[in-house]
Amino acid sequence: MIRHDSNRIDPKRRATIDYKKKQFASPSYKQHDYSHRLNIYQLPPTAEIRLEEFEQWAIDRLRILAELEACTFRNKTPAETADHMRPLLDQWLRLDPNSSSAHGYTDSRLQTQRRKDHYSHFILRLAFSATEESRRRFARVEGALFRLRFQTENVRERQDFVASLTLDWEVVKVDEKRALAQDLLNATPALRKADIEDGSWFKVDFETVPELVEGRRVFVKAGKAYVPSKEQMSIVLAGFHDRMEKGLELTARALPRLDEDDRLSPILDHLSKTFATPDSSLADSDTTLPGAPFTAYSIDHVSQHFPLCMRNLHMTLRKNSHLKHYGRLQYTLFLKGLGLTMEDCLIFWRQSFKLITDDTFNKEYRYNTRHAYGDVGGDAIRRGRGYSPFSCQKILTEHPPGSGESHGCPYRHFSMENLTGLLQATGVHDRDVLRAVKDDVDKKRYHIACNRVFEWAHKAELQVVKGNGTWKATELDTIVHPNTYFKRSYLLKSGLTGDSEQGQDEQTERY
């Protein structure tokens, strides 16, 4: 007779665990020492952080990823990308090497930087694991960030980091290296015979280094690629991408359980939408420009500096002497962001709506303008400030235009034929630019298309400020706000410096 073990779980029955033990079990945390500047994000963080840190760290990392992706779309060289990203990384996601510490190892400052980098990656991994397209895009841009950091890493610290990895490679032995010396020399470009004897070689499956095989930079035999130490980055990047893809798939399976947390779901949903175009709002100090007292009578003149969305609203207003509600709201807040006073804005709208009487204007339209400026309505906190000017992300994702409406983003909401006609009406006739804009729109890179038009229209001025160094790299990053577009255009065309633009995107728009 077989004695039944009461502690053994019957495989034919579902294992039942006391819900009290499951609910109140003590979580096990793994303390991360962050001994290296680089991270392949294999282990998720488990310690507690504040909800404000959860949101702000993710937003800061998203700024970096979006700007890095924009560099790729603009076909910047690796050197140009590194120069462009350096000040942005120092501002939003700084990571200093161990050598920057006075003690030569990770102190509290380095731990704080690397903790933010670690947590922000996994927060965004939660936000972008829902669909295959977002997972693929997130993995691609995270790989670009890792490559950038790997290339700029200190040689010694980079070797220590690689040595700490458990990658699937095999070091080529001396005897095998000597036997294949001539083949390695013939198959590997710019390689000397001394490099074969003195340098270290790694043997990996050829599928893991497709870029080296495609470029005919390695020797392949029996399904194995022989990679020299100078091409070690390709192996590390392949391992990084492999772990990233597997991690994103596991995160996607765990996402349904997050729906129960009402605190995190809105934040993650907002972050996933923001990946299309980073959200940004204007600081209060940037609502005016030096030497530019805008009035109701100067809007027509300065409209040449408007982005296409606001240019379309202005042209429609001048043509029809009317705009529907969301068009008026979008345009009013944009004018407010230029520094136009409420009194001048009311004068502007009254003169523009010339087909109606004063009584009709005062009854149907005056209150909306005052409400946008915070003069009436709203709670006590918002009164006096009103609504913030709409960012590109808000225009792209909220209130799509319907029949007879003119608001929204032309790059997203117009047909290609109508978009081309509008661009040509505003002076964009270059065929290469129009072709590139069409390609951006087809790939849903709407803010890149807008930035492309801006760079074409201000090509000469941008060359001047880049050549003499009067504008910093942070003042020439990707435009993600209509008022930033106007301010940058106005300053460039007026020959002013970009110092007054600094801090333009200091505050991220809350929802």
Side-chain angles (χ1 to χ4, degrees), residues 345-363:
C345 192
L346 287 169
I347 294 173
F348 170 77
W349 283 114
R350 180 63 196 99
Q351 292 177 342
S352 300
F353 282 23
K354 55 188 177 183
L355 301 180
I356 61 175
T357 63
D358 289 340
D359 187 50
T360 302
F361 178 82
N362 291 333
K363 286 182 178 180

Side-chain angles (χ1 to χ4, degrees), residues 130-201:
T131 64
E132 183 179 354
E133 180 183 358
S134 61
R135 290 195 297 268
R136 186 167 55 248
R137 184 182 175 193
F138 178 69
R140 183 176 64 248
V141 71
E142 277 286 348
L145 177 60
F146 182 82
R147 178 193 288 269
L148 178 63
R149 286 174 170 172
F150 191 89
Q151 291 174 331
T152 57
E153 180 64 297
N154 180 298
V155 176
R156 180 181 175 183
E157 295 186 21
R158 181 169 58 196
Q159 291 176 347
D160 293 340
F161 169 73
V162 173
S164 68
L165 301 178
T166 55
L167 296 176
D168 187 17
W169 62 26
E170 179 184 351
V171 179
V172 180
K173 297 179 180 179
V174 178
D175 295 340
E176 185 179 5
K177 188 166 56 174
R178 289 175 180 172
L180 299 174
Q182 190 60 40
D183 293 326
L184 295 176
L185 186 63
N186 294 336
T188 310
L191 195 69
R192 296 174 301 174
K193 195 169 184 179
D195 297 332
I196 299 177
E197 298 176 356
D198 300 335
S200 56
W201 289 72

Side-chain angles (χ1 to χ4, degrees), residues 17-81:
I17 302 175
D18 188 351
Y19 72 93
K20 291 184 179 180
K21 293 182 180 179
K22 185 176 181 180
Q23 182 177 0
F24 300 105
S26 298
S28 59
Y29 297 118
K30 178 176 176 57
Q31 185 67 30
H32 296 273
D33 56 0
Y34 302 116
S35 56
H36 303 287
R37 173 175 174 263
L38 298 174
N39 194 337
I40 60 172
Y41 311 107
Q42 190 168 1
L43 295 176
T46 52
E48 294 181 356
I49 61 172
R50 292 182 291 109
L51 197 61
E52 292 78 10
E53 292 176 330
F54 183 94
E55 180 182 4
Q56 191 58 51
W57 289 356
I59 290 173
D60 290 346
R61 189 181 193 90
L62 194 59
R63 290 175 181 268
I64 296 299
L65 297 184
E67 195 64 34
L68 190 57
E69 188 180 48
C71 291
T72 304
F73 292 156
R74 295 180 187 177
N75 297 321
K76 288 182 178 289
T77 64
E80 292 173 340
T81 300

Side-chain angles (χ1 to χ4, degrees), residues 128 255 267 343:
F128 304 126
L255 279 181
I267 297 176
E343 291 74 17

